[in-house]
Amino acid sequence: MTVTRTPTFCPLCRSRCGAVAVVDDASLVALEADPTHPTGQALCVKGKAAPEIVANPNRLLHPLIRTAPKNAADPQWRRASWDEALDRITANIDRIRRAHGPEAVAFASTSPSAAPISDALVWIERLVNRFGSPNNLFATEICNWHKDHAHELTWGVGIRSPDFDNTGCVLLWGHNPAVSWLDHTLGTAQARRRGAKVVVVDPRRAGPAVGADMWLRVRPGTDGALALAIAHVMLERGWFDAAFIRQWSNGPLLVRADGGRFLRMGDLDGSGDRRLAAWDRLSSRPIPYDPRRGAYDADIDTANLALRGAVTLDGPAGRVVCRSAFDLYATLCAQYPPQRAAEICWVPAEDIERTAQLLHTARPVCLYAWTGVGQHTNATQTDRAIALLHMLTGSHDVPGGNVALAQPATVDLGGRDFLSPAQRSKALGLDARPLGPPGRGWVRTDDFCRAVIDAEPYRVAGLIAFGANLAVSHANSRRIAQALARLDFYVHADVVMNPTARFADVVLPVNMPFERDALRIGFEPTQAAARRVQYRQAVLPPRGESRSDAWIVFELAKRLGFGADFWDGDIDAGYAALLAPLGLSLEALRRSPAGIDLPLEPRYRRFAELADGVARGFATPTRKAEVYSERLLEHGQAPLPDYVPPLVSPETAGPGYPLVLTSTKRIYFNHSQHRDIAALRRRMPDPLIELHPDTAAARGIANGDWVRLRTPAGSIRMRANLDAHLDPRVVTSTYGWWAGNEALGLPPLDPFSEDGANYNLLIDDALLDPISGSAPHRSYACEVERDAS
């Protein structure tokens, strides 16, 4: 018996925890935390269950080809060789491409935040772009879009890393890192031990909310109103960084009352001058601002720029009334005093005031918000409201706030340049949501289904999916199933057979990350982690004929005629191209399996760095952090983050649905994965719904009872779990249920039956966020009743 211990990292979720793989002969017997790794202080239960996940008897081990019609209950899979499977895929996908164009083939990939797909994501993106498809079902609108991309509407960049080591206050909004990002959990705990304050906004008292200095039990979907209310108190009391707002935001810029556009200097003299203007309180005149340079034309002291009040100026067509962008924002916030916000958000007014004071006195504030903010019909403007609240603290890119970590210099090999502008313009849903995910080629399932079923705006006939369990993970599951069944040809690559894969024509077996090599350039969320480059080496041979996602991509690329753009199938050559700017080689990384740290140090306040005598500013239309977004206005959206109530709620759904439904992750599973792993399923055998004891008692429900959860879209069965910390008007549910567990005697659940527990049978996709297309997974209307069956 030979036992080896190999430095590695666990890629099962976003945390990517440093670890040591313990292998006995050809079996993984343990995955242990590696405290010498910058992300290796601990492992979650999923990481510890890695040996059982690798040994899962349900794993796909050979390529499979469907022999029964798509509408057959049994696909009647037959085993195939890799050559036969890949040749069949190539012939059918190429046939669709030649007949209807590359846009007629969509791609899908699962989330790198909750799957090892991060090992191959750059290669999948390169294949999508080289193939010429503008349609990648990436599910970003219900995962990372708002924090990473809607955030750009305010800051020009996505949300930056919380500097837990130096912060005075951790603000977690719709983000429970205890179930989604272990490193954030540890960072929050360490900050708290140093004396930092912790504020958590969450309908559930879970994770860091337990013991937080302020836990705001917000009504799901009303986070935007809460952010505006907290900001109102800070503005009213003067608890904000006015110097940052004047110098680095577009808050001082004047906005015309007639139409809401920024005042141009040419509006005052008819010259066509496109420079913008702010009002100088000292000289009582408009000061020109050139957004191309990111600078005011006059040598002025920004401390004299007016943030509040209106001015009336003379123009060729008469008087022009203007107010500063910041004044308009403050006026919006004033509509949400704590007493009104308490009625909307179900958060006590005194807690709103205490939170405002704490965010001011405990600065700097580091913020993280995630899916709890993003899965609503008002998600984009909610993110804007939270971003502006954080702006008031002046904690952007400063020690203790949210910082831009120094990253290893690398090259983007995603291949976006392969896709022409004309082809990008064909992205499904782009016309309806030009500022949303389709602008980057990431399309929603409702647009995909429309294209497949109704041929609108054109027919999508093929799909190549890497691990995306669309039928269980996205709203309106039955329509997704209908679309999958209508595809001319569908390829699915995965570790196990799931409800989505069962619609495929060819299923390809993907190996486990411990059975393949992979390159990681930079970790998260600290500067020490960002320095690390690690080549994770396989510690086990692949089971059966399973292969890596990257291998599948490179093989498909060769057969489709793209070999020259994929290093003729040599994955190591691709890695070498990624490493070239760093001066590192694969050989050096193989000799250092724990990784190599680059000499990178953080730089703060990058927006203030000078180039040709002018500050860099922000990557926004005004080159300032945007309190007011003229870009949103130009696309028919509110330039300020006004609060719009959830579109599906007890108030809109009618008297039959008096409760607010939200959903939650659990630490034991990654979305719809791992319920067939006994070590994990044993901790949560049944699909759970949580409700307040008073809510349960009023319906004759006892703890542990099976109940029926109903919404206007459908119903499912779940087991009741009582939680006295919940608001009695709120119900929370788990999602991702379909798999059985033979070891525990638990049968599979039909994801398309009301006797199953597929949460996405409850959520319709008719009403979505108008900018991002986010579905209301976390704010819906429902009713619960005891199930008599």
Side-chain angles (χ1 to χ4, degrees), residues 11-84:
L12 295 178
C13 80
R14 180 71 176 267
S15 209
R16 301 183 182 102
C17 299
V20 174
V22 183
V23 175
D24 178 353
D25 291 332
S27 297
L28 181 67
V29 296
L31 193 68
E32 300 174 353
D34 178 5
T36 67
H37 194 284
T39 64
Q41 297 307 303
L43 286 178
C44 75
V45 293
K46 296 184 291 292
K48 293 175 181 177
E52 190 172 336
I53 294 173
V54 171
N56 185 355
N58 297 319
R59 280 184 57 182
L60 290 164
L61 301 180
H62 308 282
L64 301 173
I65 291 177
R66 171 186 292 276
T67 62
K70 287 287 189 72
N71 58 2
D74 182 1
Q76 297 182 29
W77 303 110
R78 71 168 176 83
R79 180 173 165 178
S81 69
W82 272 104
D83 281 337
E84 181 188 5

Side-chain angles (χ1 to χ4, degrees), residues 350-399:
E350 56 269 25
D351 286 355
I352 294 173
E353 299 209 21
R354 288 175 58 204
T355 299
Q357 184 174 22
L358 190 152
L359 293 180
H360 176 63
T361 58
R363 292 177 298 166
V365 177
C366 66
L367 161 74
Y368 213 80
W370 205 346
T371 51
V373 169
Q375 296 180 359
H376 304 280
T377 56
N378 54 16
T380 302
Q381 295 290 16
T382 295
D383 181 89
R384 284 263 296 144
I386 296 170
L388 292 184
L389 172 63
H390 191 237
M391 188 188 297
L392 295 180
T393 71
S395 301
H396 182 80
D397 208 15
V398 298

Side-chain angles (χ1 to χ4, degrees), residues 1-6 21-29 538-541:
M1 181 174 66
T2 302
V3 176
T4 60
R5 298 174 60 84
T6 305
V22 183
V23 175
D24 178 353
D25 291 332
S27 297
L28 181 67
V29 296
V539 296
L540 301 168

Side-chain angles (χ1 to χ4, degrees), residues 194-476:
R194 284 191 304 96
K197 303 299 182 181
V198 177
V199 177
V200 176
V201 184
D202 196 320
R204 299 176 68 240
R205 186 174 180 268
V210 179
D213 296 276
M214 291 300 304
W215 167 45
L216 305 183
R217 190 178 65 177
V218 65
R219 171 181 171 167
T222 66
D223 306 78
L226 180 59
L228 293 171
I230 298 171
H232 167 65
V233 176
M234 295 175 72
L235 294 170
E236 189 176 51
R237 309 285 173 81
W239 294 338
F240 68 99
D241 191 335
F244 180 90
I245 298 297
R246 284 192 171 93
Q247 186 171 5
W248 299 111
S249 88
N250 71 2
L253 297 181
L254 297 175
V255 179
R256 294 181 60 129
D258 56 344
R261 293 181 61 84
F262 285 122
L263 176 74
R264 270 69 179 175
M265 292 300 294
D267 295 344
L268 303 179
D269 59 14
S271 65
D273 187 342
R274 301 298 295 169
R275 291 177 300 168
L276 309 180
W279 187 254
D280 187 279
R281 296 178 297 174
L282 190 63
S283 62
S284 296
R285 64 187 178 94
I287 301 296
Y289 172 77
D290 187 351
R292 294 170 301 177
R293 296 179 59 245
Y296 290 94
D297 281 11
D299 183 17
I300 64 158
D301 182 355
T302 55
N304 294 324
L305 296 180
L307 291 181
R308 302 299 299 268
V311 296
T312 301
L313 303 168
D314 291 325
R319 292 195 166 185
V320 182
V321 178
C322 300
R323 294 169 65 190
S324 73
F326 190 78
D327 190 62
L328 293 171
Y329 167 63
T331 301
L332 170 64
C333 294
Q335 297 175 29
Y336 297 91
Q339 294 75 17
R340 184 185 178 210
E343 297 172 1
I344 296 171
C345 308
W346 303 345
V347 174
E350 56 269 25
D351 286 355
I352 294 173
E353 299 209 21
R354 288 175 58 204
T355 299
Q357 184 174 22
L358 190 152
L359 293 180
H360 176 63
T361 58
R363 292 177 298 166
V365 177
C366 66
L367 161 74
Y368 213 80
W370 205 346
T371 51
V373 169
Q375 296 180 359
H376 304 280
T377 56
N378 54 16
T380 302
Q381 295 290 16
T382 295
D383 181 89
R384 284 263 296 144
I386 296 170
L388 292 184
L389 172 63
H390 191 237
M391 188 188 297
L392 295 180
T393 71
S395 301
H396 182 80
D397 208 15
V398 298
N402 283 60
V403 298
L405 303 175
Q407 301 288 345
T410 186
V411 59
D412 181 5
L413 295 180
R416 186 163 172 80
D417 290 345
F418 287 133
L419 209 61
S420 69
Q423 199 63 13
R424 288 193 203 107
S425 70
K426 298 177 184 177
L428 299 173
L430 181 60
D431 289 345
R433 296 183 177 88
L435 296 180
R440 300 169 191 256
W442 298 325
V443 300
R444 267 199 46 81
T445 48
D446 63 315
D447 292 316
F448 165 76
C449 292
R450 191 176 303 111
V452 174
I453 298 170
D454 305 319
E456 292 290 342
Y458 52 80
R459 181 154 192 267
V460 167
L463 175 65
I464 301 177
F466 292 87
N469 194 0
L470 305 175
V472 178
S473 302
H474 293 239
N476 204 344

Side-chain angles (χ1 to χ4, degrees), residues 71 103 170 477 565 612 641 667 741:
N71 58 2
E103 65 272 14
V170 179
S477 292
D565 295 310
D612 297 326
I667 193 171
N741 194 296

